[in-house]
Amino acid sequence: MTRDGNGGTDSSDDPTLGRETHWQQATQQLYDPDRDGGLATVIVFAIAEAEGISPSEVKSPPLYDSVDVAGVEDAFFGSDSGNGSRRGTGTVEFRYTEYLVKVRSDGWVEVYEPTG
């Protein structure tokens, strides 16, 4: 989506904007910050699984065009006072191509595809 001159979004970039979209979960993966390489890797693997392709084929658009993964990782999984507990709680949702991706503070990365 692009911003219009008044600070809003230009709905011509997103054909689903302005109408209700129904979503069906395509896949989910659990991110463990102590075991996995990084949140971005888990997100890419989940998107690849939903698309039925190799993770190395998830290239366009770059993930950083859709979400600030480092910011999400720091907010949810960064250590708090050195005790290793999660810092934040909640869910971050973003669109990647036609998919809706949800990153939950409990570590689940869920990928949804539009239905109907």
Side-chain angles (χ1 to χ4, degrees):
M1 279 191 262
T2 58
R3 296 251 173 224
D4 68 18
N6 297 321
T9 55
D10 180 359
S11 63
S12 66
D13 289 350
D14 187 349
T16 63
L17 206 59
R19 67 180 171 97
E20 189 172 332
T21 302
H22 298 279
W23 299 95
Q24 173 181 306
Q25 188 175 29
T27 189
Q28 66 179 2
Q29 297 209 5
L30 183 61
Y31 169 62
D32 180 350
D34 296 325
R35 181 197 62 187
D36 298 326
L39 181 58
T41 301
V42 173
I43 293 171
V44 167
F45 273 71
I47 291 169
E49 184 176 324
E51 290 187 353
I53 61 175
S54 165
S56 64
E57 295 178 75
V58 178
K59 294 179 182 174
S60 182
L63 188 57
Y64 61 78
D65 281 355
S66 299
V67 66
D68 177 3
V69 177
V72 173
E73 193 165 17
D74 184 51
F76 284 169
F77 308 107
S79 62
D80 186 24
S81 303
N83 65 7
S85 65
R86 289 192 170 92
R87 293 177 60 187
T89 58
T91 301
V92 172
E93 298 180 3
F94 62 93
R95 296 284 300 272
Y96 183 85
T97 63
E98 74 266 20
Y99 296 101
L100 173 66
V101 180
K102 295 183 180 184
V103 179
R104 299 182 356 195
S105 60
D106 63 2
W108 284 105
V109 175
E110 303 167 335
V111 179
Y112 295 83
E113 57 192 3
T115 61

